[in-house]
Amino acid sequence: MQHYLSINDIDSLPDWVDEARALKIDPLQSKSLGKDKTMGLLFFNNSLRTRLSTQKAAMNLGMEVIIMNFGNEGWALEYADGTIMDQGTSEHIKEAAKVVSQYCDIIGIRAFASLSDKEKDEAEMVLNGFKKHASVPIVNMESSVGHPLQALTDAITMAENSNKAKPKVVLSWAPHPKALPHAVANSFIQMMQRQDADFVITHPKGYELDPAITKNSHIEYDQEKAMENADFVYVKNWSSYADYGKVLCQDQKWMITGEKLGDAKFMHCLPVRRNVVVEDAVLDSNQSLVIEQANNRTYAAQLVLKKILEHLK
Ligand code: CP
């Protein structure tokens, strides 16, 4: 594998899940693979889990890690060709990507959607800019459209916690005071479309995600009906896709409660706003898998880096 940009870069999801679970049992099994190699992590947005778990994953493979908070410490980058750069941008992606490639053997990029310009967001300007102009592999640490490290993590976590051949999995929208991107939900849906599961998406009307992503996935607007007999309830807020980036609803009736959850396991990528997205009683119960999800971020990232390093050999 050369790059890890989306769920589509996974050839066999069941095999990857098994391989990641094997890494979790013996995280230092490939400690010499990344010797004398450098992982560069570039953050255009905040992070806790992605930053530390990807760093840990690289360290487990024997790599050195360098990190830059590009959003507030780097020069403002220009992405368009032929621009007269006499305004706010100081450095072109053409130089920046080539320069960073000289310092790193693999580059991870986190660059969220602006939520103000759908066309630019869908063009994945930052991620694709680095892919185009860098000379080393690129890992998507959450872009405008996808968060494939999180989705791989979620597949691992469900496999660890499922005893059914075909579990019922619900992706539920939940309220949030701020406009949030679609990336986590998009990659989760793409991952679920590759699983043998009874998969249902539930959200208020107006929150339909990109139909090119949801395809023929089952959408149920009645949250309680969607959650009936669920084995896993994956919860995430996202802003409107059709009315791009807008918050259309903050109806607290969509918050996840223990009563609604029933016997299902609760999943969320974190960070989560307590008693807005989900009530304390759920997060503090043993039905919540959120801490184990965060733990599995390391092994998802480690598997991705391992596959890239094996390709570089
Ligand atoms: N889930 C996730 O990507 O967490 P961070 O934003 O903290 O990295």
Side-chain angles (χ1 to χ4, degrees):
M1 187 178 65
Q2 194 181 353
H3 303 286
Y4 185 66
L5 303 176
S6 83
I7 283 291
N8 296 333
D9 291 316
I10 298 175
D11 47 13
S12 165
L13 185 57
D15 287 352
W16 281 46
V17 167
D18 287 347
E19 286 177 58
R21 292 178 73 180
L23 285 176
K24 188 174 180 177
I25 292 166
D26 182 10
L28 302 181
Q29 61 182 260
S30 302
K31 181 80 180 172
S32 58
L33 186 64
K35 187 173 180 298
D36 301 330
K37 302 272 191 227
T38 301
M39 177 82 214
L41 305 179
L42 305 186
F43 286 90
F44 292 79
N45 302 97
N46 295 348
S47 171
L48 188 162
R49 281 142 289 270
T50 305
R51 176 172 172 154
L52 296 183
S53 64
T54 310
Q55 183 168 6
K56 176 81 177 167
M59 287 159 50
N60 282 348
L61 292 163
M63 300 182 82
E64 299 292 334
V65 183
I66 52 180
I67 302 178
M68 183 163 179
N69 292 319
F70 226 100
N72 52 16
E73 293 170 359
W75 300 111
L77 294 186
E78 178 60 51
Y79 297 90
D81 277 338
T83 311
I84 298 169
M85 288 171 54
D86 60 356
Q87 298 295 313
T89 55
S90 304
E91 176 157 30
H92 204 279
I93 183 69
K94 288 183 181 180
E95 283 77 50
K98 288 186 177 80
V99 168
V100 177
S101 300
Q102 296 176 119
Y103 309 144
C104 305
D105 298 281
I106 305 174
I107 303 172
I109 308 279
R110 164 163 283 201
F112 290 170
S114 67
L115 295 179
S116 58
D117 186 330
K118 186 189 269 192
E119 205 176 318
K120 271 194 185 160
D121 285 348
E122 294 196 332
E124 296 277 35
M125 207 171 59
V126 183
L127 188 71
N128 283 335
F130 274 93
K131 185 190 167 205
K132 183 171 178 188
H133 297 292
S135 55
V136 298
I138 302 296
V139 174
N140 181 351
M141 300 196 301
E142 187 173 342
S143 66
S144 300
V145 177
H147 195 354
L149 285 175
Q150 182 67 52
L152 176 57
T153 299
D154 300 332
I156 297 163
T157 310
M158 282 194 287
E160 288 176 331
N161 287 279
S162 181
N163 50 13
K164 286 189 183 168
K166 191 173 179 179
K168 179 170 179 184
V169 180
V170 180
L171 170 63
S172 179
W173 180 94
H176 196 283
K178 289 172 70 178
L180 296 189
H182 310 102
V184 170
N186 285 345
S187 290
F188 186 77
I189 291 166
Q190 289 173 319
M191 182 273 293
M192 285 311 306
Q193 288 166 347
R194 297 176 59 165
Q195 299 262 35
D196 195 13
D198 174 9
F199 179 51
V200 185
I201 304 169
T202 185
H203 54 70
K205 288 199 171 151
Y207 278 94
E208 292 77 9
L209 289 155
D210 181 356
I213 303 267
T214 53
K215 296 186 177 141
N216 58 359
S217 292
H218 177 185
I219 296 170
E220 167 58 62
Y221 294 105
D222 180 335
Q223 188 193 39
E224 287 190 24
K225 192 170 166 199
M227 284 173 61
E228 270 170 19
N229 301 316
D231 295 297
F232 296 95
V233 177
Y234 196 98
V235 180
K236 185 74 186 82
N237 171 273
W238 59 85
S239 54
S240 174
Y241 178 74
D243 197 356
Y244 193 66
K246 296 287 183 307
V247 175
L248 307 178
C249 165
Q250 296 200 8
D251 188 349
Q252 279 305 112
K253 285 208 283 285
W254 280 81
M255 181 175 79
I256 303 299
T257 62
E259 194 181 341
K260 283 187 206 172
L261 191 65
D263 294 329
K265 297 287 188 191
F266 173 82
M267 298 181 73
H268 191 286
C269 62
L270 302 182
V272 68
R273 292 199 182 217
R274 282 175 172 256
N275 304 308
V276 176
V277 171
V278 55
E279 67 176 9
D280 281 339
V282 170
L283 276 173
D284 295 333
S285 77
N286 59 14
Q287 284 170 254
S288 173
L289 300 180
V290 298
I291 304 303
E292 201 48 40
Q293 282 174 268
N295 186 30
N296 285 336
R297 289 295 306 272
T298 298
Y299 309 106
Q302 192 172 336
L303 179 65
V304 166
L305 299 183
K306 179 171 177 277
K307 285 182 180 290
I308 292 174
L309 288 169
E310 283 165 348
H311 183 83
L312 287 177
K313 275 212 290 192

